[in-house]
Amino acid sequence: MSKKEFYPHFRETPPDQGSYRSIFKWGGPAEFKHPNRKLYRLMKEEFALTDEDFSEPRLTGDDPVELPNRPVLLEEKHLRFFKELLGDEWVSLSDYDRVKYSYGKTVEEAMELRQKKIAEVTDCVLHPGDKEEVRRIVEYCNTHRIPIYIYGGGSTVNFGYRPVLGGVTVVMQTRMNKVVSFSEENRTCTVQAGIMGPDYEKALNEAPERFGARYRYTNGHFPQSFEYSSVGGWISTFGSGQQSSYFGDACDLVISQEYITPVGTIKSKDFIAEADGPRINDIMKGSEGTFGVLVECTMKIFRYNPKNQFPFSFIFRNWEEAVHAVRDISQGEFGLPGVLRLSDPEETHVGLKLYGVDGTILDTLMSVRGYKPMERCLLLGRTEGERGFSRRVRRLSKNICRRYGGMSLTGFPLRSWEHGRYRDPYLREDLADYGMVIDTLETSVRWDNIHRVREE
């Protein structure tokens, strides 16, 4: 009888309440995504690891959060003001909340929390309920020189929550998370900045039931952090989504914004076309909370037509031919797909395992036709919009792919990616439990420099 292949006991239990792990864990407490067996074998091969390296988890972060030597430094009169303004339940001085709202989702922060190494922490956590409460907080803190940090959805990866000067953290998602107004005529929706991505999208999808609209709508912005990020956070961080080639980045969708600042309220015009400048709206985008507190925003919205979304995917023999195809699609001037994702040979090798293509008839067919592992590149695409437009963009995109030697893999890989596109970050905790660090980096590059950047 053959020995059963070893597979790690990846964690399947939610973090304990009040633990470090409950802060750094990605996403839902009871949600997980583990490397499948093919990916597990690949990791061992690539990194010269053995089953022994996965026998016992290491620093798991299960200890309760404690701050024995980090007292609150705000004077009692300041704390009294905040409690009188918001009510005791919306002002927190607990060790756990002070740490939770001082940390984002960078790998470095997760590593610190696993080791119980706490960097800077906020003195006080505030949960305002409306613009007036935000205005009074900002006015008071400005008068008394108390630093303010803004917490949206919690998914930042640029140390944006780190309270390097102490002070207070203002949390937007708890109470400032509602739709303010909806206009089908203008195709806009005004929301409080703390509304989370899924709640915003659900409201738009249900526009006929909620707002008496003729059609269903979508917001068009779907970053990988979609489930755990706020609309205000998308704008404040220049967010880009997985369908931005069609809809635009978050900042392209903004019609107007309202900020509470130490010198008063700044509210940009609620229409797009202006002939005067500079445009305050553009200056405030991507400001990371440094100019003021974003409290409301008006966004473009789009018709929700899932039946008009047409997937396609192609495999190319090499990176050069794949890049030529993507460039010609991008510069074709016939419209862009919503999803257009090209993986290089290394990512393709992993992706085919993640998407369930490895070992299938499609995999065999690719090899027979000369699309070799660690040379071939996978392109995923999906078109959006009016039905005729969407079909045409897909047809022209597929023609370009074939011109550069691409072989169609049908829509199967795209649908597999789409099914799990928000779940890939869950792999991070699994691997970090055994001392492996994974992360993503992004950069902008010109077409004439793309090969040099990738090689070097």
Side-chain angles (χ1 to χ4, degrees), residues 2-75:
S2 61
K3 183 180 178 181
K4 185 177 181 180
E5 181 183 19
F6 175 83
Y7 183 71
H9 293 290
F10 292 119
R11 186 146 174 172
E12 282 284 351
T13 56
D16 293 335
Q17 289 188 356
S19 66
Y20 290 96
R21 192 180 187 91
S22 68
I23 296 175
F24 67 72
K25 182 189 182 303
W26 175 259
E31 294 186 50
F32 308 92
K33 179 175 181 177
H34 310 307
N36 60 32
R37 290 181 180 273
K38 291 178 180 178
L39 183 56
Y40 172 62
R41 287 194 292 267
L42 177 65
M43 290 191 301
K44 289 195 296 181
E45 294 168 6
E46 288 291 322
F47 304 124
L49 301 172
T50 67
D51 290 338
E52 183 63 28
D53 293 305
F54 292 88
S55 60
E56 288 291 335
R58 303 182 186 180
L59 296 168
T60 59
D62 289 316
D63 295 323
V65 173
E66 295 178 341
L67 293 174
N69 301 310
R70 307 293 286 276
V72 173
L73 298 179
L74 286 179
E75 295 178 40

Side-chain angles (χ1 to χ4, degrees), residues 251-311:
C251 287
D252 298 318
L253 308 181
V254 181
I255 303 295
S256 69
Q257 306 168 78
E258 183 174 353
Y259 287 82
I260 307 297
T261 82
V263 296
T265 298
I266 297 176
K267 187 173 183 179
S268 57
K269 300 170 185 175
D270 63 351
F271 46 84
I272 300 174
E274 300 180 63
D276 57 341
R279 295 186 178 182
I280 296 299
N281 210 31
D282 292 339
I283 293 173
M284 302 302 280
K285 295 173 184 176
S287 57
E288 302 275 359
T290 57
F291 296 156
V293 183
L294 176 59
V295 289
E296 281 186 13
C297 49
T298 300
M299 309 289 284
K300 299 177 188 177
I301 58 175
F302 305 84
R303 284 275 298 277
Y304 179 54
N305 289 313
K307 291 182 179 179
N308 295 352
Q309 296 173 339
F310 299 118

